[in-house]
Amino acid sequence: MNISTISLALGLSFSFLTPAAIAQDRSEHEQFAREIYEKVISIRTARGQEKVPEMVEYLADQFKSAGFTDEDIQITDYDSDGEHTQGLIVYYRADGTSKHKPVVILGHMDVVDALAADWERPPFTLTEEDGYFFGRGTMDNKYGITNIASTFIRLKKEGWKPNRDFVIVLSGDEETGMVSTRAQADYVAENIDPEFVLNTDAGGGVLSDDGAPLFYAVQGAEKTYATFELTVANPGGHSSRPRSDNAIYDLADALRKIKEYKFPVRYSDLTLASFKASGAVTPGALGKAMRDFSENPKNKKAIAILRDDPETVGTTGTTCVATMLRAGHAENALPQSATATVNCRIFPGVGIAEVEEKLKKVVDNEAVQFELMTDVTESPESKLRPEVMAAIEASLSARGLNTPIIPYMESGGTDGMHYRIKGYDTVAISGAWMKPSDIFAHGLNERLAVDAFYGGLDHWYVIMKELAGDE
Ligand SMILES: [Zn+2]
């Protein structure tokens, strides 16, 4: 039975029940997970609120009442660009018989802020409506936190002893400074030295618009995020006496050249495997281009189609695009300065210096000054380990699913990159199944389907048992 059949069955059987009756039909574990979810979403862990410690305290209490000891739980304070935040690390210790190295599982407790005035429902209250849970963090990343925390607690209560340590590492400022992330990655490398790292904050199942499972996505690489400011300065003057050089025109010329420029095609084993698998389930010309590219990444027609689609343009190389502009100071004065923001997503393995040099060459005007605005983290691609892939397969088959598992490279950034640069294979494998049209992370009215919430609660349970069961 696939998810759409399951949800159809649930929809039919529940349509005559009141919400209270539905709650009674949920298992004890499902109700407990929902309770955690509701609580963590009610804590506004956005920048400026200093609420991460409140969430840490709540979670630590939950772990303690399930039998985790003070030695298993580690709370650390961080100063994230002037704001107090915390990290939480929880050890699920092995029975001491294994030679296997530990597995680290990542999540982040902070969220991008949400303004109540802009939302249709209160962002920091979990609202169940029309088959969805609404609220900031319902997806990014409080579902992941709820899922992994409730799984740790469930296994502990069942008395399960893994044959290797599992360590949950939750950061407190992933969405902003990543100060806690960097410090935790240092701590993990020095004190835990895991076999590999799993992340709750990306990846997961993809459903078609009518709810049929298409494939399960594994995030195995992240592009490097870099923002430049391009500035042209000019003596300016009175607008009644235009001069041949002009800050706005010079900047506009530079931007037009950047628009026309296409970075060279790049690909890796992950790119090819990703296109091969997604091409098999993507209809039409785009699907054909994916398949053709996976067979021959020099196929010009395939490249043109992939680069013409916003969904795939980022997967075949580096992209840079103008995102902001400011210039001039009066309507009757020649501009003394013009500045554009150009945001780049750089393919793993391509250096930031190489990109800057290329852009300067493309612009070909020394009057245009470049300034790198971001703290850049360049991370390599991770190997897809057979034992991790097998564990994902076990989780899918426990739900009666037999979809392809597709690796992908993320254009954004997660905590995972700070572990990849330390040499740890890191893949993000969320337990949620979603339609692309339901993805509102960082945006208004963030949501997760109620079926996806409960349907994924066994995900980490199965994966942990697969990775630390008997030899
Ligand atoms: Zn996230």
Side-chain angles (χ1 to χ4, degrees):
M1 184 153 55
N2 64 31
I3 285 193
S4 57
T5 340
I6 294 170
S7 54
L8 191 66
L10 293 178
L12 286 175
S13 59
F14 288 164
S15 56
F16 303 105
L17 299 174
T18 62
I22 294 170
Q24 281 165 12
D25 278 3
R26 298 290 180 195
S27 71
E28 204 179 309
H29 177 66
E30 287 174 325
Q31 293 181 48
F32 176 63
R34 190 196 192 282
E35 204 180 290
I36 295 181
Y37 197 44
E38 186 163 4
K39 177 68 188 178
V40 295
I41 282 168
S42 76
I43 305 172
R44 185 177 177 179
T45 52
R47 177 146 188 95
Q49 307 297 322
E50 297 206 357
K51 289 280 179 71
V52 171
E54 187 181 328
M55 179 162 163
V56 167
E57 191 185 353
Y58 167 75
L59 288 174
D61 282 350
Q62 302 303 309
F63 286 114
K64 276 179 204 159
S65 32
F68 289 89
T69 65
D70 286 344
E71 288 77 57
D72 296 332
I73 299 170
Q74 188 188 306
I75 297 168
T76 328
D77 294 286
Y78 301 103
D79 179 337
S80 175
D81 302 317
E83 183 166 334
H84 177 222
T85 192
Q86 285 183 333
L88 175 63
I89 295 182
V90 184
Y91 286 80
Y92 198 125
R93 296 187 200 274
D95 57 11
T97 62
S98 171
K99 293 175 200 74
H100 293 303
K101 288 165 100 178
V103 173
V104 159
I105 303 174
L106 305 177
H108 67 86
M109 297 178 285
D110 59 317
V111 292
V112 172
D113 206 4
L115 297 177
D118 300 335
W119 279 52
E120 286 167 36
R121 302 163 194 84
F124 298 101
T125 304
L126 183 71
T127 306
E128 185 175 345
E129 208 177 293
D130 302 332
Y132 286 96
F133 285 122
F134 291 91
R136 170 59 86 228
T138 43
M139 186 62 213
D140 184 15
N141 175 222
K142 287 178 173 172
Y143 176 62
I145 303 262
T146 299
N147 202 336
I148 190 61
S150 63
T151 300
F152 255 45
I153 289 168
R154 176 182 176 190
L155 287 165
K156 193 64 137 187
K157 284 181 178 162
E158 289 177 1
W160 183 62
K161 275 279 183 192
N163 70 10
R164 71 194 321 163
D165 284 358
F166 284 95
V167 191
I168 300 182
V169 178
L170 306 182
S171 61
D173 64 340
E174 189 264 0
E175 300 287 8
T176 53
M178 287 197 176
V179 172
S180 58
T181 310
R182 286 186 184 87
Q184 287 179 323
D186 287 342
Y187 173 86
V188 165
E190 278 161 35
N191 300 283
I192 301 174
D193 190 29
E195 182 81 38
F196 52 84
V197 176
L198 304 175
N199 189 353
T200 63
D201 191 28
V206 177
L207 301 170
S208 70
D209 272 334
D210 52 13
L214 292 177
F215 58 87
Y216 183 88
V218 177
Q219 185 236 56
E222 286 163 75
K223 294 179 92 175
T224 308
Y225 182 104
T227 299
F228 294 98
E229 275 192 0
L230 276 56
T231 299
V232 181
N234 190 283
H238 201 282
S239 65
S240 63
R241 295 192 296 278
R243 33 189 295 154
S244 61
D245 56 344
N246 174 300
I248 291 178
Y249 291 151
D250 289 350
L251 184 69
D253 287 343
L255 293 176
R256 194 171 297 115
K257 286 177 179 166
I258 290 174
K259 180 194 172 212
E260 301 301 329
Y261 179 69
K262 302 274 181 280
F263 280 87
V265 173
R266 300 282 299 217
Y267 56 89
S268 64
D269 290 348
L270 187 138
T271 322
L272 299 181
S274 177
F275 275 138
K276 187 172 178 214
S278 48
V281 293
T282 305
L286 186 63
K288 184 174 177 343
M290 290 172 169
R291 296 190 296 276
D292 289 348
F293 186 87
S294 73
E295 276 161 32
N296 173 19
K298 296 198 166 52
N299 183 320
K300 290 213 167 69
K301 195 176 163 203
I303 293 166
I305 292 172
L306 294 173
R307 288 197 154 188
D308 199 38
D309 190 313
E311 292 300 320
T312 47
V313 62
T315 52
T316 61
T318 298
T319 61
C320 291
V321 64
T323 54
M324 293 197 291
L325 207 53
R326 60 175 194 272
H329 56 282
E331 66 179 80
N332 57 359
L334 298 172
Q336 290 169 2
S337 146
T339 299
T341 304
V342 172
N343 181 246
C344 297
R345 307 299 174 112
I346 302 168
F347 205 85
V350 179
I352 178 78
E354 193 181 330
V355 171
E356 181 169 348
E357 206 167 302
K358 188 73 226 180
L359 288 176
K360 281 181 177 161
K361 220 169 143 189
V362 165
V363 164
D364 191 26
N365 180 354
E366 277 176 12
V368 182
Q369 295 297 311
F370 279 69
E371 192 182 351
L372 178 63
M373 306 304 289
T374 37
D375 199 356
V376 175
T377 305
E378 299 174 67
S379 65
E381 183 179 307
S382 288
K383 278 199 288 294
L384 304 171
R385 291 166 170 260
E387 68 266 46
V388 175
M389 299 306 269
I392 296 168
E393 253 171 55
S395 164
L396 298 185
S397 78
R399 298 175 69 175
L401 295 170
N402 179 26
T403 59
I405 300 176
I406 299 182
Y408 76 102
M409 172 178 67
E410 177 130 346
S411 295
T414 66
D415 283 338
M417 63 184 165
H418 294 282
Y419 294 82
R420 289 197 184 103
I421 47 178
K422 293 194 177 294
Y424 297 112
D425 283 327
T426 303
V427 291
I429 52 168
S430 164
W433 281 78
M434 293 185 83
K435 298 174 189 175
S437 57
D438 278 341
I439 296 173
F440 291 85
H442 295 195
L444 286 176
N445 306 314
E446 185 178 346
R447 71 195 66 179
L448 177 67
V450 172
D451 291 346
F453 175 88
Y454 291 113
L457 288 182
D458 286 345
H459 178 69
W460 291 103
Y461 184 87
V462 175
I463 282 179
M464 286 174 66
K465 287 205 161 177
E466 283 292 313
L467 292 173
D470 297 328
E471 317 286 299

